[in-house]
Amino acid sequence: DAKTTQPNSMESNEEEPVHLPCNHSTISGTDYIHWYRQLPSQGPEYVIHGLTSNVNNRMASLAIAEDRKSSTLILHRATLRDAAVYYCILRDTGNQFYFGTGTSLTVIP
Amino acid sequence: DAGITQSPRHKVTETGTPVTLRCHQTENHRYMYWYRQDPGHGLRLIHYSYGVKDTDKGEVSDGYSVSRSKTEDFLLTLESATSSQTSVYFCAISELGTGNTEAFFGQGTRLTVV
């Protein structure tokens, strides 16, 4: 399965936008890019996913590079409740998906 | 929230004893997964199921077995628990196994093997 690379940690000020990067240079044409987040003491929570085009939903936006070798999760206005570990995952039709160690986001009041 | 229930939520057991964790879903999703989470490793896939009686191994399956006799239940068994299996275990479900399908996770089971 293709792997992803994320920074171990990032900080953001409250009410400012946050851009969480992810590199996936070995992505295949059928891999979807998924983002999940995990709040403290909870199970992971689905955030967003996409294939080629940028995607928006109520939680976040996903910007995908034209060559698909990288993507960015955008939280438009960080709140304290957004402090979590964010995972970027590639998923295809192989029935499985693998998590890396993710990016720990700290939101500063 | 997706209807996923893990039981028990917490368990302490002794080395060498068998342990079974249960994942129950009310969404009628075909795919179910078991992960373990340890500090510094993120989530690692243990086993998954793509239908009743259809299961396969993940990346860390040694020492674990699974069963799925009904769509709604996916059981993870540690035949003889060891201290290295102390971890937080998460169950996940997915309607399909395709890349265009999201997964939903349970709240986790914290297992301590002493």
Side-chain angles (χ1 to χ4, degrees):
Chain A
D1 289 274
K3 301 300 184 188
T4 62
T5 304
Q6 300 176 253
N8 289 332
S9 62
M10 291 184 64
E11 287 186 350
S12 174
N13 293 321
E14 193 177 11
E15 299 187 5
E16 291 187 356
V18 183
H19 291 235
L20 297 166
C22 181
N23 288 318
H24 27 79
S25 58
T26 60
I27 190 171
S28 72
T30 57
D31 284 330
Y32 281 77
I33 302 159
H34 284 243
W35 284 82
Y36 290 77
R37 72 178 186 180
Q38 187 173 20
L39 302 173
S41 301
Q42 295 191 24
E45 172 187 31
Y46 168 78
V47 177
I48 199 167
H49 76 279
L51 183 62
T52 56
S53 303
N54 294 345
V55 184
N56 301 293
N57 66 19
R58 65 175 179 81
M59 291 181 69
S61 295
L62 176 59
I64 301 172
E66 193 169 340
D67 64 4
R68 300 209 326 124
K69 294 184 184 298
S70 66
S71 62
T72 302
L73 179 71
I74 302 166
L75 306 179
H76 294 288
R77 197 163 161 268
T79 70
L80 297 178
R81 290 177 297 177
D82 291 322
V85 178
Y86 287 79
Y87 297 96
C88 170
I89 301 156
L90 301 183
R91 190 175 188 199
D92 63 9
T93 57
N95 297 329
Q96 308 179 32
F97 54 112
Y98 294 96
F99 285 71
T101 53
T103 296
S104 179
L105 176 66
T106 300
V107 180
I108 301 168
Chain B
D1 289 339
I4 308 171
T5 304
Q6 291 186 231
S7 59
R9 293 292 313 279
H10 302 271
K11 186 171 181 66
V12 179
T13 192
E14 293 185 350
T15 299
T17 60
V19 177
T20 296
L21 308 183
R22 180 185 184 226
C23 178
H24 177 78
Q25 60 143 330
T26 58
E27 305 296 324
N28 201 36
H29 284 355
R30 181 178 173 189
Y31 291 82
M32 299 185 75
Y33 308 82
W34 275 109
Y35 290 85
R36 62 177 288 174
Q37 185 171 37
D38 306 290
H41 288 280
L43 281 87
R44 292 182 290 176
L45 182 66
I46 305 171
H47 280 280
Y48 69 98
S49 169
Y50 47 97
V52 174
K53 300 192 189 310
D54 292 322
T55 65
D56 206 347
K57 297 179 179 180
E59 57 185 323
V60 291
S61 59
D62 286 348
Y64 300 95
S65 62
V66 291
S67 65
R68 191 165 177 204
S69 59
K70 299 184 290 185
T71 298
E72 58 265 35
D73 289 326
F74 192 33
L75 304 181
L76 176 71
T77 297
L78 290 66
E79 302 291 347
S80 178
T82 68
S83 58
S84 65
Q85 293 176 311
T86 293
S87 187
V88 180
Y89 292 85
F90 288 100
C91 172
I93 65 173
S94 180
E95 186 172 9
L96 300 171
T98 63
N100 197 23
T101 310
E102 63 264 41
F104 302 95
F105 285 78
Q107 291 300 299
T109 294
R110 183 172 295 275
L111 176 68
T112 302
V113 183
V114 298

